[in-house]
Amino acid sequence: MENNNEILNEEENILTLTDENGVETQFEYLDVIEYEGSEYLILMPAEEGSDEIVILLIEPVDEENENYLAIDDEATLMAVYEIFKERYKDVLTFAD
């Protein structure tokens, strides 16, 4: 998913991302995790009943814009997810 347009509602931590096909999806912002020199955005779909975690690579475009990219490397994805789980182990329940 690549995004140049983002809307963040500060009160609800809702981020609306627009993919390359123009489809908008709302996510709840959870965290940003740094791993091996890159930053990763941790999100959860805002729709009711969804407990899926979405991890996207943050790619800076300029001082004001950034793209969010899907992660192809399974090892990186799992490493970032493990950091997230450790950070939130006392707050969230994870079903592996």
Side-chain angles (χ1 to χ4, degrees):
M1 178 179 296
E2 196 169 304
N3 173 47
N4 284 324
N5 298 321
E6 64 177 283
I7 302 168
L8 180 60
N9 180 333
E10 293 292 330
E11 292 180 12
E12 298 180 20
N13 287 330
I14 299 297
L15 182 70
T16 302
L17 299 183
T18 304
D19 69 15
E20 60 273 2
N21 298 318
V23 177
E24 290 186 351
T25 305
Q26 290 190 328
F27 293 92
E28 181 180 352
Y29 166 85
L30 300 177
D31 203 352
V32 170
I33 293 177
E34 188 172 328
Y35 175 71
E36 293 190 347
S38 295
E39 290 186 320
Y40 297 87
L41 185 63
I42 313 298
L43 305 170
M44 183 168 48
E47 61 193 46
E48 280 293 317
S50 178
D51 58 358
E52 173 187 2
I53 299 294
V54 176
I55 302 172
L56 300 171
L57 173 65
I58 300 173
E59 177 188 67
V61 175
D62 56 37
E63 289 184 21
E64 296 180 14
N65 297 297
E66 51 195 23
N67 287 329
Y68 305 110
L69 307 174
I71 302 167
D72 294 329
D73 181 45
E74 188 70 25
T76 299
L77 187 62
M78 292 310 299
V80 172
Y81 182 63
E82 288 300 321
I83 294 168
F84 174 74
K85 284 185 2 182
E86 180 63 27
R87 190 178 286 181
Y88 288 90
K89 67 183 178 189
D90 296 330
V91 179
L92 300 173
T93 302
F94 297 93
D96 287 329

